[in-house]
Coordinates of all heavy atoms in Angstrom, one line a residue:
V1 N 6.7 -56.0 14.1 CA 7.7 -55.0 14.3 C 7.3 -53.8 13.4 O 7.3 -54.0 12.2 CB 9.1 -55.5 14.0 CG1 10.1 -54.3 14.1 CG2 9.5 -56.6 14.9
P2 N 7.0 -52.6 14.0 CA 6.7 -51.5 13.1 C 7.9 -51.0 12.3 O 9.0 -51.0 12.8 CB 6.2 -50.4 14.1 CG 6.5 -50.9 15.4 CD 6.9 -52.4 15.4
V3 N 7.6 -50.6 11.1 CA 8.7 -50.0 10.2 C 8.6 -48.5 10.4 O 7.6 -47.9 10.2 CB 8.4 -50.4 8.7 CG1 9.4 -49.8 7.8 CG2 8.4 -51.9 8.6
P4 N 9.8 -47.9 10.7 CA 9.7 -46.4 10.8 C 9.4 -45.8 9.5 O 9.9 -46.2 8.4 CB 11.2 -46.1 11.3 CG 12.0 -47.3 11.0 CD 11.1 -48.5 10.9
A5 N 8.6 -44.7 9.6 CA 8.2 -44.0 8.4 C 9.4 -43.1 7.9 O 10.2 -42.6 8.7 CB 7.1 -43.1 8.7
L6 N 9.6 -43.1 6.6 CA 10.6 -42.2 6.0 C 10.2 -40.8 6.1 O 9.0 -40.5 6.0 CB 10.9 -42.6 4.6 CG 11.5 -44.0 4.4 CD1 11.6 -44.4 2.9 CD2 12.9 -44.2 5.0
P7 N 11.1 -39.9 6.3 CA 10.7 -38.5 6.3 C 10.2 -38.0 4.9 O 10.6 -38.4 3.9 CB 12.0 -37.7 6.7 CG 13.1 -38.6 6.3 CD 12.5 -40.0 6.4
A8 N 9.2 -37.1 5.0 CA 8.7 -36.5 3.7 C 9.7 -35.6 3.2 O 10.4 -34.8 3.9 CB 7.4 -35.8 4.0
V9 N 10.0 -35.7 1.8 CA 11.0 -34.9 1.2 C 10.4 -34.4 -0.2 O 9.8 -35.1 -0.9 CB 12.2 -35.7 0.9 CG1 13.3 -34.9 0.1 CG2 12.8 -36.3 2.1
P10 N 10.5 -33.0 -0.4 CA 10.0 -32.5 -1.7 C 10.9 -33.1 -2.9 O 12.0 -33.6 -2.7 CB 10.2 -31.0 -1.6 CG 11.1 -30.8 -0.4 CD 11.1 -32.0 0.4
P11 N 10.3 -33.0 -4.1 CA 11.0 -33.5 -5.3 C 12.3 -32.8 -5.5 O 12.4 -31.6 -5.3 CB 10.1 -33.3 -6.4 CG 8.9 -32.6 -5.9 CD 9.1 -32.4 -4.4
R12 N 13.3 -33.5 -6.1 CA 14.6 -32.9 -6.5 C 15.1 -33.6 -7.7 O 15.2 -34.8 -7.8 CB 15.6 -33.1 -5.3 CG 16.9 -32.5 -5.7 CD 17.6 -31.9 -4.6 NE 18.8 -31.2 -5.1 CZ 20.1 -31.5 -4.8 NH1 20.3 -32.5 -3.9 NH2 21.0 -30.8 -5.3
L13 N 15.4 -32.7 -8.7 CA 16.0 -33.2 -10.0 C 17.5 -32.6 -9.9 O 17.7 -31.4 -9.6 CB 15.3 -32.5 -11.2 CG 13.9 -33.0 -11.4 CD1 13.2 -32.1 -12.5 CD2 13.9 -34.4 -11.9
D14 N 18.4 -33.5 -10.0 CA 19.8 -33.1 -9.9 C 20.6 -33.7 -11.0 O 20.1 -34.5 -11.8 CB 20.4 -33.3 -8.5 CG 20.4 -34.8 -8.1 OD1 20.6 -35.7 -9.0 OD2 20.3 -35.1 -6.9
D15 N 21.9 -33.3 -11.1 CA 22.7 -33.8 -12.2 C 22.9 -35.3 -12.2 O 23.1 -35.9 -13.3 CB 24.1 -33.1 -12.2 CG 24.0 -31.6 -12.6 OD1 23.0 -31.2 -13.3 OD2 24.9 -30.8 -12.3
G16 N 22.9 -35.9 -11.0 CA 23.0 -37.3 -10.9 C 21.9 -38.1 -11.5 O 22.1 -39.2 -12.1
N17 N 20.7 -37.6 -11.4 CA 19.5 -38.4 -11.8 C 18.8 -37.7 -13.0 O 17.8 -38.3 -13.5 CB 18.5 -38.7 -10.7 CG 18.0 -37.4 -10.0 OD1 18.1 -36.3 -10.5 ND2 17.5 -37.6 -8.8
C18 N 19.2 -36.5 -13.4 CA 18.6 -35.8 -14.5 C 19.6 -34.9 -15.1 O 19.6 -33.7 -14.9 CB 17.3 -35.1 -14.1 SG 16.4 -34.4 -15.5
P19 N 20.6 -35.4 -15.9 CA 21.7 -34.6 -16.4 C 21.2 -33.5 -17.3 O 20.3 -33.7 -18.1 CB 22.6 -35.6 -17.2 CG 22.2 -36.9 -16.7 CD 20.8 -36.8 -16.2
R20 N 21.8 -32.3 -17.2 CA 21.3 -31.1 -17.9 C 21.7 -31.2 -19.4 O 21.0 -30.6 -20.2 CB 22.0 -29.8 -17.4 CG 21.5 -29.4 -16.1 CD 22.2 -28.1 -15.6 NE 21.8 -27.8 -14.3 CZ 20.8 -27.1 -13.9 NH1 19.9 -26.7 -14.8 NH2 20.6 -26.9 -12.6
Q21 N 22.7 -32.0 -19.8 CA 23.0 -32.2 -21.2 C 23.2 -33.7 -21.4 O 23.8 -34.4 -20.6 CB 24.3 -31.5 -21.5 CG 24.2 -30.0 -21.5 CD 25.4 -29.3 -22.0 OE1 26.2 -29.9 -22.9 NE2 25.7 -28.1 -21.6
Q22 N 22.5 -34.2 -22.5 CA 22.6 -35.6 -22.8 C 22.9 -35.7 -24.3 O 22.5 -34.9 -25.1 CB 21.2 -36.3 -22.5 CG 20.9 -36.1 -21.0 CD 19.6 -36.8 -20.6 OE1 19.2 -37.8 -21.2 NE2 19.0 -36.3 -19.5
N23 N 23.7 -36.8 -24.6 CA 24.1 -37.0 -26.0 C 23.5 -38.3 -26.6 O 23.6 -39.3 -25.9 CB 25.6 -37.1 -26.1 CG 26.3 -35.8 -25.7 OD1 26.1 -34.8 -26.4 ND2 27.1 -35.8 -24.6
W24 N 22.8 -38.1 -27.7 CA 22.3 -39.3 -28.4 C 22.9 -39.4 -29.8 O 23.5 -38.4 -30.3 CB 20.8 -39.1 -28.6 CG 20.0 -39.0 -27.3 CD1 20.4 -39.2 -26.1 CD2 18.6 -38.7 -27.2 NE1 19.3 -39.1 -25.2 CE2 18.2 -38.8 -25.9 CE3 17.6 -38.4 -28.2 CZ2 16.9 -38.5 -25.4 CZ3 16.3 -38.2 -27.7 CH2 16.0 -38.2 -26.4
T25 N 22.8 -40.5 -30.4 CA 23.4 -40.7 -31.8 C 22.3 -41.0 -32.7 O 21.5 -41.9 -32.5 CB 24.4 -41.8 -31.8 OG1 25.5 -41.5 -30.8 CG2 25.0 -42.0 -33.1
E26 N 22.2 -40.3 -33.8 CA 21.2 -40.5 -34.9 C 21.2 -41.9 -35.4 O 22.3 -42.5 -35.6 CB 21.5 -39.5 -36.0 CG 20.4 -39.5 -37.1 CD 20.7 -38.5 -38.2 OE1 21.9 -38.4 -38.6 OE2 19.7 -37.9 -38.7
G27 N 20.0 -42.5 -35.5 CA 19.9 -43.9 -36.0 C 20.0 -44.9 -34.9 O 19.7 -46.1 -35.2
Q28 N 20.3 -44.5 -33.7 CA 20.4 -45.5 -32.6 C 19.2 -45.2 -31.6 O 18.4 -44.3 -31.9 CB 21.7 -45.4 -31.8 CG 22.9 -45.8 -32.7 CD 24.2 -45.7 -32.0 OE1 24.2 -45.5 -30.8 NE2 25.3 -46.0 -32.7
E29 N 19.1 -46.0 -30.6 CA 18.1 -45.8 -29.5 C 18.6 -44.7 -28.6 O 19.7 -44.8 -28.2 CB 17.8 -47.1 -28.8 CG 17.2 -48.2 -29.7 CD 15.7 -48.3 -29.5 OE1 15.2 -48.3 -28.4 OE2 15.0 -48.3 -30.5
G30 N 17.7 -43.8 -28.2 CA 18.0 -42.8 -27.2 C 17.0 -42.8 -26.1 O 15.8 -43.1 -26.4
T31 N 17.4 -42.5 -24.9 CA 16.5 -42.4 -23.8 C 16.7 -41.1 -23.0 O 17.8 -40.8 -22.6 CB 16.7 -43.6 -22.8 OG1 16.6 -44.8 -23.5 CG2 15.7 -43.6 -21.6
L32 N 15.6 -40.4 -22.8 CA 15.7 -39.2 -22.0 C 15.9 -39.6 -20.5 O 14.9 -40.2 -20.0 CB 14.5 -38.3 -22.2 CG 14.5 -36.9 -21.5 CD1 15.7 -36.1 -22.0 CD2 13.2 -36.2 -21.7
R33 N 17.0 -39.4 -20.0 CA 17.3 -39.8 -18.6 C 16.9 -38.7 -17.6 O 17.6 -37.7 -17.6 CB 18.8 -40.2 -18.4 CG 19.2 -41.4 -19.2 CD 20.6 -41.8 -19.1 NE 21.5 -40.7 -19.7 CZ 22.4 -40.0 -19.0 NH1 22.6 -40.2 -17.7 NH2 23.1 -39.1 -19.6
C34 N 15.8 -38.9 -16.9 CA 15.4 -37.9 -15.9 C 14.5 -38.6 -14.9 O 13.4 -39.0 -15.2 CB 14.7 -36.7 -16.6 SG 14.6 -35.3 -15.5
Q35 N 15.1 -38.7 -13.7 CA 14.3 -39.3 -12.5 C 14.5 -38.3 -11.4 O 15.4 -37.5 -11.4 CB 14.9 -40.6 -12.1 CG 14.8 -41.7 -13.1 CD 15.4 -43.0 -12.7 OE1 16.4 -43.0 -12.0 NE2 14.9 -44.1 -13.0
A36 N 13.5 -38.3 -10.5 CA 13.5 -37.4 -9.3 C 13.7 -38.2 -8.0 O 13.2 -39.3 -7.9 CB 12.3 -36.6 -9.3
R37 N 14.2 -37.5 -7.1 CA 14.3 -38.0 -5.7 C 13.2 -37.3 -4.9 O 12.8 -36.2 -5.2 CB 15.6 -37.7 -5.1 CG 16.7 -38.4 -5.8 CD 18.1 -38.0 -5.3 NE 19.1 -38.5 -6.2 CZ 20.3 -38.6 -6.0 NH1 20.8 -38.2 -4.8 NH2 21.2 -39.0 -6.9
G38 N 12.7 -38.0 -3.8 CA 11.7 -37.4 -3.0 C 10.9 -38.4 -2.3 O 10.9 -39.6 -2.7
N39 N 10.1 -38.0 -1.3 CA 9.2 -38.9 -0.6 C 8.0 -38.1 -0.2 O 8.1 -37.2 0.5 CB 9.9 -39.5 0.6 CG 9.0 -40.6 1.3 OD1 8.4 -41.4 0.6 ND2 8.9 -40.6 2.6
P40 N 6.8 -38.5 -0.7 CA 6.5 -39.6 -1.6 C 7.2 -39.5 -3.0 O 7.6 -38.4 -3.4 CB 5.0 -39.7 -1.7 CG 4.5 -38.4 -1.2 CD 5.6 -37.7 -0.4
T41 N 7.3 -40.6 -3.6 CA 8.0 -40.7 -4.9 C 7.4 -39.7 -5.9 O 6.1 -39.7 -6.1 CB 7.9 -42.1 -5.5 OG1 8.5 -43.0 -4.6 CG2 8.6 -42.2 -6.9
P42 N 8.2 -38.8 -6.4 CA 7.6 -37.8 -7.3 C 7.3 -38.4 -8.7 O 7.8 -39.3 -9.1 CB 8.8 -36.8 -7.5 CG 9.8 -37.1 -6.4 CD 9.6 -38.5 -6.1
R43 N 6.3 -37.7 -9.3 CA 5.9 -38.0 -10.7 C 6.8 -37.1 -11.6 O 6.8 -35.9 -11.4 CB 4.4 -37.8 -10.9 CG 4.0 -38.1 -12.3 CD 2.5 -37.9 -12.5 NE 2.3 -36.4 -12.7 CZ 1.5 -35.7 -11.9 NH1 0.9 -36.2 -10.9 NH2 1.4 -34.4 -12.1
V44 N 7.4 -37.7 -12.6 CA 8.2 -36.9 -13.6 C 7.6 -36.8 -14.9 O 7.2 -37.8 -15.5 CB 9.7 -37.4 -13.7 CG1 10.5 -36.7 -14.7 CG2 10.4 -37.5 -12.4
E45 N 7.4 -35.6 -15.4 CA 6.8 -35.4 -16.8 C 7.8 -34.5 -17.5 O 8.2 -33.5 -17.0 CB 5.5 -34.8 -16.7 CG 4.4 -35.7 -16.0 CD 3.1 -35.0 -15.9 OE1 3.0 -33.8 -16.0 OE2 2.1 -35.7 -15.6
C46 N 8.1 -34.9 -18.8 CA 8.9 -34.1 -19.6 C 8.2 -33.7 -20.9 O 7.3 -34.4 -21.3 CB 10.2 -34.8 -20.0 SG 11.3 -35.2 -18.6
A47 N 8.6 -32.6 -21.5 CA 7.9 -32.1 -22.8 C 9.0 -31.4 -23.6 O 9.9 -30.8 -23.0 CB 6.7 -31.3 -22.5
R48 N 8.7 -31.3 -24.9 CA 9.5 -30.5 -25.8 C 8.5 -29.7 -26.6 O 7.6 -30.3 -27.2 CB 10.4 -31.3 -26.6 CG 11.2 -30.5 -27.6 CD 12.4 -31.3 -28.2 NE 12.9 -30.6 -29.3 CZ 12.8 -30.9 -30.5 NH1 12.2 -32.0 -30.9 NH2 13.4 -30.1 -31.5
D49 N 8.7 -28.4 -26.6 CA 7.8 -27.5 -27.4 C 6.3 -27.8 -27.0 O 5.4 -27.8 -27.9 CB 8.0 -27.7 -28.9 CG 9.4 -27.3 -29.4 OD1 10.0 -26.4 -28.7 OD2 9.9 -27.9 -30.3
G50 N 6.1 -28.1 -25.7 CA 4.7 -28.3 -25.2 C 4.2 -29.7 -25.5 O 3.1 -30.0 -25.0
Q51 N 4.9 -30.5 -26.2 CA 4.5 -31.9 -26.5 C 5.1 -32.9 -25.5 O 6.3 -32.9 -25.3 CB 4.9 -32.3 -27.9 CG 4.3 -31.4 -29.0 CD 2.8 -31.5 -29.0 OE1 2.2 -32.6 -29.0 NE2 2.1 -30.4 -29.0
P52 N 4.3 -33.7 -24.8 CA 4.8 -34.6 -23.9 C 5.9 -35.5 -24.5 O 5.8 -36.0 -25.7 CB 3.6 -35.5 -23.5 CG 2.4 -34.6 -23.8 CD 2.8 -33.8 -25.0
F53 N 6.9 -35.8 -23.7 CA 8.0 -36.7 -24.2 C 8.4 -37.5 -23.0 O 9.1 -37.0 -22.1 CB 9.2 -35.9 -24.7 CG 10.2 -36.7 -25.5 CD1 10.1 -36.8 -26.9 CD2 11.2 -37.4 -24.8 CE1 11.0 -37.6 -27.6 CE2 12.1 -38.1 -25.5 CZ 12.0 -38.2 -26.9
P54 N 8.0 -38.7 -22.9 CA 8.3 -39.5 -21.7 C 9.7 -39.8 -21.4 O 10.5 -40.2 -22.4 CB 7.5 -40.9 -21.9 CG 6.7 -40.7 -23.1 CD 7.2 -39.5 -23.8
A55 N 10.2 -39.7 -20.2 CA 11.5 -40.0 -19.8 C 11.6 -41.5 -19.6 O 10.7 -42.1 -19.2 CB 11.9 -39.2 -18.6
G56 N 12.8 -42.0 -19.8 CA 13.1 -43.4 -19.5 C 12.6 -44.4 -20.5 O 12.7 -45.6 -20.3
I57 N 12.1 -44.0 -21.6 CA 11.6 -44.9 -22.7 C 12.5 -44.8 -23.9 O 12.6 -43.7 -24.5 CB 10.1 -44.6 -23.0 CG1 9.2 -44.8 -21.8 CG2 9.7 -45.5 -24.2 CD1 7.8 -44.4 -22.0
P58 N 13.2 -45.9 -24.3 CA 14.0 -45.9 -25.4 C 13.2 -45.7 -26.7 O 12.1 -46.2 -26.8 CB 14.7 -47.2 -25.5 CG 14.4 -47.9 -24.2 CD 13.2 -47.2 -23.6
R59 N 13.8 -44.9 -27.6 CA 13.1 -44.7 -28.9 C 14.2 -44.4 -30.0 O 15.3 -43.9 -29.7 CB 12.2 -43.5 -28.8 CG 12.8 -42.2 -28.4 CD 11.8 -41.1 -28.2 NE 10.9 -41.5 -27.1 CZ 9.6 -41.3 -27.2 NH1 9.1 -40.7 -28.1 NH2 8.9 -41.7 -26.1
P60 N 13.9 -44.7 -31.2 CA 14.8 -44.4 -32.3 C 15.1 -42.9 -32.4 O 14.2 -42.1 -32.3 CB 14.2 -44.9 -33.6 CG 13.1 -45.8 -33.1 CD 12.7 -45.4 -31.7
V61 N 16.3 -42.5 -32.6 CA 16.7 -41.1 -32.6 C 17.0 -40.6 -34.0 O 17.6 -41.2 -34.8 CB 18.0 -40.9 -31.8 CG1 18.6 -39.5 -31.9 CG2 17.8 -41.3 -30.3
S62 N 16.4 -39.4 -34.2 CA 16.7 -38.6 -35.5 C 17.2 -37.3 -35.1 O 17.1 -36.9 -33.9 CB 15.5 -38.5 -36.4 OG 14.6 -37.6 -35.8
R63 N 17.7 -36.5 -36.0 CA 18.3 -35.2 -35.7 C 17.1 -34.2 -35.2 O 17.4 -33.3 -34.5 CB 19.0 -34.6 -36.8 CG 18.2 -34.4 -38.1 CD 19.1 -33.9 -39.2 NE 20.0 -35.0 -39.6 CZ 21.0 -34.9 -40.4 NH1 21.3 -33.8 -40.9 NH2 21.7 -36.0 -40.7
A64 N 15.9 -34.6 -35.5 CA 14.8 -33.8 -35.0 C 14.6 -33.8 -33.5 O 13.9 -33.0 -32.9 CB 13.5 -34.2 -35.7
H65 N 15.3 -34.8 -32.8 CA 15.2 -34.9 -31.4 C 16.1 -33.9 -30.7 O 16.0 -33.8 -29.4 CB 15.5 -36.3 -30.9 CG 14.4 -37.3 -31.2 ND1 14.5 -38.2 -32.3 CD2 13.2 -37.5 -30.7 CE1 13.4 -38.9 -32.3 NE2 12.6 -38.5 -31.4
S66 N 17.0 -33.2 -31.4 CA 17.9 -32.2 -30.8 C 17.0 -31.1 -30.2 O 16.1 -30.7 -30.8 CB 18.8 -31.7 -31.8 OG 19.8 -32.6 -32.2
G67 N 17.4 -30.6 -29.1 CA 16.7 -29.5 -28.5 C 16.7 -29.5 -27.0 O 17.3 -30.3 -26.3
T68 N 15.8 -28.6 -26.5 CA 15.7 -28.5 -25.0 C 14.4 -29.1 -24.6 O 13.3 -28.8 -25.1 CB 15.7 -27.0 -24.6 OG1 16.9 -26.4 -25.1 CG2 15.6 -26.8 -23.1
Y69 N 14.5 -30.0 -23.6 CA 13.3 -30.6 -23.0 C 13.1 -30.1 -21.6 O 14.0 -29.8 -20.9 CB 13.6 -32.2 -22.9 CG 13.6 -32.8 -24.3 CD1 14.8 -32.7 -25.1 CD2 12.6 -33.5 -24.8 CE1 14.9 -33.2 -26.3 CE2 12.7 -34.1 -26.1 CZ 13.8 -33.9 -26.8 OH 13.9 -34.5 -28.1
R70 N 11.9 -29.8 -21.3 CA 11.5 -29.3 -19.9 C 11.0 -30.5 -19.1 O 10.0 -31.1 -19.5 CB 10.4 -28.3 -20.1 CG 10.0 -27.6 -18.9 CD 11.0 -26.7 -18.5 NE 10.5 -25.6 -17.7 CZ 11.3 -24.9 -17.0 NH1 12.6 -25.2 -17.1 NH2 10.9 -23.9 -16.3
C71 N 11.6 -30.7 -18.0 CA 11.2 -31.8 -17.1 C 10.7 -31.2 -15.8 O 11.3 -30.3 -15.3 CB 12.3 -32.8 -16.9 SG 12.7 -33.7 -18.4
Q72 N 9.7 -31.8 -15.2 CA 9.1 -31.3 -14.0 C 8.8 -32.5 -13.1 O 8.1 -33.5 -13.5 CB 7.8 -30.6 -14.3 CG 7.1 -29.9 -13.1 CD 5.9 -29.1 -13.6 OE1 5.0 -29.7 -14.1 NE2 6.0 -27.8 -13.3
A73 N 9.2 -32.5 -11.9 CA 9.0 -33.5 -10.9 C 8.0 -32.9 -9.8 O 8.2 -31.8 -9.3 CB 10.3 -33.9 -10.2
T74 N 7.0 -33.7 -9.5 CA 5.9 -33.2 -8.6 C 5.6 -34.3 -7.6 O 5.4 -35.5 -7.9 CB 4.7 -32.8 -9.4 OG1 5.0 -31.9 -10.4 CG2 3.6 -32.2 -8.5
N75 N 5.4 -33.9 -6.3 CA 4.8 -34.7 -5.3 C 4.0 -33.8 -4.4 O 4.0 -32.5 -4.6 CB 5.8 -35.6 -4.5 CG 6.7 -34.9 -3.5 OD1 6.5 -33.7 -3.2 ND2 7.7 -35.6 -3.0
P76 N 3.3 -34.2 -3.4 CA 2.4 -33.3 -2.6 C 3.2 -32.2 -1.9 O 2.6 -31.2 -1.4 CB 1.8 -34.3 -1.5 CG 1.8 -35.6 -2.2 CD 3.0 -35.6 -3.0
L77 N 4.5 -32.3 -1.8 CA 5.3 -31.3 -1.1 C 5.9 -30.3 -2.0 O 6.5 -29.3 -1.5 CB 6.5 -32.0 -0.3 CG 6.0 -33.0 0.7 CD1 7.2 -33.7 1.3 CD2 5.3 -32.3 1.9
G78 N 5.7 -30.4 -3.3 CA 6.2 -29.4 -4.2 C 6.5 -29.8 -5.6 O 6.2 -30.9 -6.0
T79 N 7.3 -29.0 -6.3 CA 7.6 -29.2 -7.7 C 9.1 -28.7 -7.9 O 9.5 -27.8 -7.3 CB 6.7 -28.4 -8.6 OG1 5.4 -28.8 -8.4 CG2 7.1 -28.6 -10.1
D80 N 9.8 -29.5 -8.7 CA 11.1 -29.0 -9.2 C 11.2 -29.1 -10.7 O 10.5 -30.0 -11.2 CB 12.2 -29.9 -8.5 CG 13.6 -29.4 -8.7 OD1 13.8 -28.2 -9.1 OD2 14.6 -30.1 -8.5
E81 N 11.8 -28.2 -11.3 CA 11.9 -28.2 -12.8 C 13.3 -28.1 -13.2 O 14.2 -27.6 -12.5 CB 11.1 -27.0 -13.3 CG 9.7 -27.0 -13.1 CD 8.9 -25.8 -13.7 OE1 9.6 -24.8 -14.1 OE2 7.7 -25.9 -13.8
R82 N 13.5 -28.6 -14.5 CA 14.9 -28.6 -15.0 C 14.8 -28.6 -16.6 O 13.9 -29.3 -17.1 CB 15.6 -29.8 -14.5 CG 16.9 -30.0 -15.2 CD 17.7 -31.1 -14.5 NE 18.3 -30.5 -13.3 CZ 19.5 -30.6 -12.9 NH1 20.3 -31.4 -13.6 NH2 20.0 -30.0 -11.9
S83 N 15.6 -27.9 -17.2 CA 15.8 -28.0 -18.7 C 16.9 -28.9 -19.0 O 18.0 -28.9 -18.4 CB 16.1 -26.6 -19.3 OG 15.0 -25.8 -19.2
V84 N 16.6 -29.8 -20.0 CA 17.6 -30.8 -20.4 C 17.9 -30.6 -21.9 O 17.0 -30.6 -22.7 CB 17.1 -32.2 -20.1 CG1 18.1 -33.3 -20.7 CG2 16.8 -32.5 -18.7
I85 N 19.2 -30.3 -22.2 CA 19.5 -30.2 -23.6 C 20.0 -31.5 -24.2 O 20.8 -32.2 -23.6 CB 20.7 -29.2 -23.8 CG1 20.2 -27.8 -23.2 CG2 21.1 -29.1 -25.2 CD1 21.4 -26.8 -23.1
V86 N 19.4 -31.9 -25.3 CA 19.7 -33.2 -26.0 C 20.5 -32.8 -27.2 O 20.0 -32.0 -28.1 CB 18.5 -34.0 -26.3 CG1 18.9 -35.2 -27.2 CG2 17.8 -34.5 -25.0
W87 N 21.7 -33.3 -27.3 CA 22.5 -33.1 -28.5 C 22.5 -34.4 -29.3 O 22.7 -35.5 -28.7 CB 24.0 -32.8 -28.1 CG 24.2 -31.6 -27.3 CD1 24.3 -31.5 -26.0 CD2 24.4 -30.3 -27.8 NE1 24.5 -30.2 -25.6 CE2 24.5 -29.4 -26.7 CE3 24.4 -29.7 -29.1 CZ2 24.7 -28.1 -26.8 CZ3 24.6 -28.3 -29.2 CH2 24.7 -27.5 -28.1
V88 N 22.1 -34.3 -30.6 CA 22.1 -35.5 -31.4 C 23.3 -35.5 -32.3 O 23.5 -34.5 -33.1 CB 20.8 -35.6 -32.3 CG1 20.9 -36.8 -33.2 CG2 19.6 -35.7 -31.3
H89 N 24.1 -36.5 -32.3 CA 25.3 -36.7 -33.1 C 24.9 -37.4 -34.4 O 24.3 -38.4 -34.3 CB 26.4 -37.5 -32.4 CG 26.9 -36.8 -31.1 ND1 28.0 -36.0 -31.2 CD2 26.4 -36.8 -29.9 CE1 28.2 -35.5 -29.9 NE2 27.2 -36.0 -29.1
C90 N 25.3 -36.8 -35.5 CA 25.0 -37.4 -36.8 C 26.1 -38.3 -37.2 O 27.3 -38.1 -36.9 CB 24.9 -36.3 -37.9 SG 23.6 -35.2 -37.6
E91 N 25.8 -39.4 -38.0 CA 26.7 -40.3 -38.5 C 26.9 -40.0 -40.0 O 25.9 -40.1 -40.8 CB 26.3 -41.7 -38.3 CG 26.2 -42.1 -36.9 CD 27.5 -42.2 -36.2 OE1 28.5 -42.5 -36.8 OE2 27.6 -41.9 -35.0
W92 N 28.1 -39.6 -40.5 CA 28.3 -39.3 -41.9 C 29.1 -40.3 -42.6 O 29.5 -40.2 -43.7 CB 28.9 -37.9 -42.0 CG 28.0 -36.8 -41.6 CD1 26.8 -36.5 -42.2 CD2 28.2 -35.8 -40.6 NE1 26.2 -35.4 -41.6 CE2 27.1 -35.0 -40.6 CE3 29.2 -35.6 -39.7 CZ2 26.9 -33.9 -39.8 CZ3 29.0 -34.5 -38.8 CH2 27.9 -33.7 -38.9
G93 N 29.4 -41.4 -41.9 CA 30.2 -42.4 -42.5 C 31.1 -43.1 -41.5 O 31.1 -42.7 -40.3
P94 N 31.8 -44.2 -41.9 CA 32.6 -44.9 -40.9 C 33.6 -44.0 -40.1 O 34.4 -43.3 -40.7 CB 33.3 -45.9 -41.7 CG 32.5 -46.1 -43.0 CD 31.9 -44.7 -43.2
G95 N 33.4 -43.9 -38.8 CA 34.3 -43.2 -38.0 C 34.2 -41.7 -38.0 O 34.9 -40.9 -37.5
V96 N 33.1 -41.2 -38.7 CA 32.9 -39.7 -38.8 C 31.6 -39.4 -38.3 O 30.5 -39.9 -38.7 CB 33.0 -39.3 -40.3 CG1 32.8 -37.8 -40.4 CG2 34.3 -39.7 -40.9
S97 N 31.6 -38.5 -37.2 CA 30.3 -38.0 -36.7 C 30.5 -36.6 -36.2 O 31.6 -36.1 -36.1 CB 29.9 -39.0 -35.5 OG 30.8 -38.9 -34.4
G98 N 29.4 -36.0 -35.8 CA 29.4 -34.6 -35.3 C 28.1 -34.2 -34.8 O 27.1 -35.0 -34.9
I99 N 28.0 -33.0 -34.3 CA 26.7 -32.6 -33.7 C 25.8 -32.2 -34.9 O 26.2 -31.4 -35.7 CB 26.9 -31.4 -32.8 CG1 27.8 -31.7 -31.6 CG2 25.6 -30.8 -32.3 CD1 27.2 -32.7 -30.6
C100 N 24.6 -32.7 -34.9 CA 23.6 -32.3 -35.9 C 23.0 -30.9 -35.6 O 22.7 -30.2 -36.5 CB 22.4 -33.3 -35.9 SG 22.8 -34.9 -36.4
G101 N 22.9 -30.6 -34.4 CA 22.4 -29.3 -34.0 C 21.5 -29.3 -32.8 O 21.1 -30.4 -32.4
S102 N 21.2 -28.2 -32.2 CA 20.3 -28.0 -31.1 C 19.7 -26.6 -31.1 O 20.4 -25.7 -31.5 CB 21.1 -28.3 -29.8 OG 20.2 -28.3 -28.7
W103 N 18.4 -26.6 -30.7 CA 17.7 -25.3 -30.8 C 17.1 -25.0 -29.5 O 16.8 -25.9 -28.7 CB 16.6 -25.4 -31.8 CG 17.2 -25.7 -33.2 CD1 17.6 -24.8 -34.1 CD2 17.4 -27.0 -33.7 NE1 18.1 -25.5 -35.2 CE2 18.0 -26.8 -35.0 CE3 17.2 -28.3 -33.3 CZ2 18.3 -27.9 -35.8 CZ3 17.6 -29.4 -34.1 CH2 18.1 -29.1 -35.4
G104 N 16.9 -23.7 -29.2 CA 16.2 -23.3 -27.9 C 17.0 -23.7 -26.7 O 16.6 -24.4 -25.8
L105 N 18.3 -23.3 -26.6 CA 19.2 -23.7 -25.6 C 19.0 -23.0 -24.3 O 20.0 -22.8 -23.5 CB 20.6 -23.7 -26.1 CG 20.9 -24.6 -27.3 CD1 22.4 -24.4 -27.7 CD2 20.6 -26.0 -26.9
G106 N 17.8 -22.6 -23.9 CA 17.6 -22.0 -22.6 C 17.9 -23.0 -21.5 O 17.8 -24.2 -21.7
D107 N 18.2 -22.4 -20.3 CA 18.4 -23.3 -19.2 C 17.7 -22.8 -17.9 O 17.8 -21.6 -17.6 CB 20.0 -23.4 -18.9 CG 20.3 -24.5 -17.9 OD1 19.8 -25.6 -18.0 OD2 21.1 -24.2 -17.0
V108 N 17.0 -23.7 -17.2 CA 16.3 -23.3 -16.0 C 16.6 -24.3 -14.9 O 16.7 -25.5 -15.2 CB 14.8 -23.3 -16.3 CG1 14.0 -23.0 -15.0 CG2 14.4 -22.2 -17.3
G109 N 16.6 -23.8 -13.7 CA 16.7 -24.7 -12.5 C 18.1 -25.1 -12.3 O 18.8 -25.8 -12.2

């Protein structure tokens, strides 16, 4: 029985699969959440200040991770881009936290 081919769809980054603002907590694990929809499956690459920063990989968070990340999804039908702002919350003691800071808060896409 032949399987019907899925229609070709260009990449799409949206708020459901790549939120424009994400909150991490200093000293805990953080993951840049950014996936794309499309067919064929798009490749997603993210960077901060021109340095690659893989999405979907947990890593220990410090206040240096605050800022704007540029994510790009690509497949043979095109490209979609999005800026993602990461806010890092600092822990100053039991029950006390706040925003450490964020830089370069431009927004694209």
